[in-house]
Amino acid sequence: MRLLILGTGGMANQHAARFKAIEGVSVVGGVDVVPERLAAFCTEHGIANHFISLEDALAWGEFDAVANVTPDSIHHPTTLQAVAAGKHVFCEKPLATDAVKAMEMTEAIERAGKVGMVNLTYRNSPALQKGRQMVLAGEIGLVRHVEASHLQSWLVGRHWGDWKSESKWLWRLSKKHGSNGALGDIGIHIVDFASYGSGLDVAHVFARLKTFDKAPGHRIGEYDLDANDSFTMNVDFTNGAIGTIQATRTAAGQMDQLRLRVYGETGSIEMIYDTGKSTLRACLGEDVHTATWRDLPFDPVETNYQRFVQAVRAGKTQEPSFRRAANIQKVLDKAIASDLGHADEVIG
């Protein structure tokens, strides 16, 4: 499989390294509107062909698939261009900045018969995959209650850099730069984590979004700091269970932690991803009567990168698909509407 990487910012390095490590995959080209960044990226990863526009890359055309690692608002137009040119697409999350655009991308790639997958990276957690299997196998009975959180701290700590001076972070805080804040950036991850891990879809959402004061006049340079920093959701699931889903960038002491607890009629399962480390715990059987939790083993799982390559070779999309990401985007759009209207929203 010959791969073109579109957008050569920070996350693109992960794409290049992961795909190059898969046997039979060649990263044959890079695209970026910033020539210096593009040149440095291609030199670092040994990529022979580089282009300053997607149009130029498509005119060349010597590749099978595109890894779309552009900013959120650019996913929609560039993916549609790639699909129209007959390419498979592995897109960074969120698929688009709203569900209408996400569904347009979904329908386009399905009509074209091409593979379209989204890099919901926490699907790579073996604890999540094993926990989901246990829930679907009925090991905790009917799900009654769900708790999910995604906690980061880069607004209070400098472990990933200084957000006040680096554009790679500032754009994530600015609506006019294409950001939907924490909801759009990590909300898609934790909604997917909660829904996938519990085996349930969200039916209703009541949400609150919060943007904190972070700089004089809520502005740094060209960036208006108006995108949300934290959110909470109260949700109903399709089977009648209820739950809470929350995320923030202000959780000091938490670099990147996703935690999901699924409570059923006969037991509970907890799935944790914490900055690269997965943990699976459960309270099952007789342990329910003593409230005893035990750590459970799990096996390694294939990554999204590996699944995408398999899908292209087989000509059949695997999960997480464009359609899955578009459906999650519906939940995020309804969360915004709920916050604005202070009302419960039905996921249609």
Side-chain angles (χ1 to χ4, degrees):
M1 190 186 84
R2 301 167 301 169
L3 182 74
L4 179 86
I5 295 183
L6 174 63
T8 61
M11 190 61 187
N13 292 296
Q14 184 75 204
H15 284 249
R18 291 296 194 102
F19 278 118
K20 285 174 64 178
I22 301 172
E23 185 177 356
V25 175
S26 302
V27 180
V28 296
V31 183
D32 203 300
V33 295
V34 180
E36 298 80 10
R37 183 169 63 199
L38 172 65
F41 175 82
C42 290
T43 297
E44 179 178 354
H45 296 286
I47 301 170
N49 302 286
H50 30 106
F51 307 90
I52 59 171
S53 73
L54 178 58
E55 290 79 6
D56 288 345
L58 292 174
W60 173 61
E62 298 298 314
F63 56 95
D64 309 298
V66 175
N68 192 337
V69 204
T70 58
D72 298 355
S73 61
I74 310 300
H75 292 173
H76 173 259
T78 53
T79 293
L80 291 180
Q81 284 181 267
V83 173
K87 308 302 182 183
H88 306 284
V89 180
F90 184 69
C91 189
E92 263 303 320
K93 58 76 202 168
L95 182 57
T97 53
D98 63 65
V100 172
K101 291 178 180 176
M103 195 55 69
E104 181 183 358
M105 296 159 71
T106 299
E107 292 173 350
I109 205 157
E110 289 178 351
R111 283 196 306 269
K114 296 299 178 180
V115 170
M117 294 174 59
V118 178
N119 193 25
L120 297 174
T121 53
Y122 302 100
R123 291 285 189 97
N124 299 336
S125 167
L128 175 68
Q129 297 292 347
K130 178 63 180 293
R132 170 183 162 86
Q133 291 173 10
M134 294 174 67
V135 172
L136 294 179
E139 295 190 33
I140 62 171
L142 184 66
V143 175
R144 301 293 197 196
H145 192 92
V146 175
E147 297 176 1
S149 62
H150 193 163
L151 307 178
Q152 295 183 340
S153 58
W154 56 268
L155 286 179
V156 294
R158 292 190 293 273
H159 44 79
W160 289 345
D162 184 1
W163 67 266
K164 295 180 181 180
S165 61
E166 297 184 43
S167 60
K168 68 178 181 178
W169 301 114
L170 282 167
W171 80 265
R172 298 174 185 272
L173 308 176
S174 176
K175 290 181 181 178
K176 74 179 182 182
H177 287 82
S179 176
N180 279 333
L183 182 74
D185 185 22
I186 58 178
I188 189 168
H189 282 310
I190 193 58
V191 172
D192 179 68
F193 202 83
S195 174
Y196 184 77
S198 66
L200 304 173
D201 292 321
V202 176
H204 298 83
V205 59
F206 184 89
R208 293 299 304 274
L209 312 181
K210 183 68 175 181
T211 306
F212 301 107
D213 295 341
K214 299 182 290 298
H218 311 289
R219 184 180 179 88
I220 295 178
E222 65 180 275
Y223 300 93
D224 296 319
L225 309 184
D226 55 355
N228 62 85
D229 303 309
S230 295
F231 71 83
T232 61
M233 297 182 193
N234 292 325
V235 301
D236 295 327
F237 292 95
T238 46
N239 77 329
I242 63 172
T244 59
I245 302 174
Q246 62 175 324
T248 186
R249 295 162 165 168
T250 65
Q254 302 292 350
M255 193 174 294
D256 188 33
Q257 184 200 78
L258 290 82
R259 182 185 296 264
L260 171 63
R261 279 189 169 180
V262 184
Y263 299 97
E265 57 186 350
T266 62
S268 303
I269 294 177
E270 181 179 55
M271 301 157 238
I272 303 171
Y273 173 93
D274 194 344
T275 320
K277 180 182 178 181
S278 289
T279 304
L280 180 64
R281 303 170 67 236
C283 180
L284 304 170
E286 293 301 309
D287 285 342
V288 169
H289 305 297
T290 57
T292 300
W293 288 78
R294 301 183 189 276
D295 290 338
L296 300 178
F298 45 76
D299 296 321
V301 297
E302 292 177 329
T303 66
N304 290 336
Y305 305 97
Q306 291 169 316
R307 285 192 289 270
F308 178 70
V309 173
Q310 292 171 1
V312 170
R313 288 171 174 166
K316 185 177 181 180
T317 295
Q318 294 189 32
E319 294 295 336
S321 65
F322 273 28
R323 186 163 291 275
R324 169 65 178 181
N327 286 334
I328 295 295
Q329 192 65 46
K330 291 180 182 179
V331 178
L332 305 186
D333 287 5
K334 291 295 186 180
I336 295 172
S338 174
D339 179 65
L340 291 172
H342 299 284
D344 180 75
E345 292 283 338
V346 178
I347 310 302

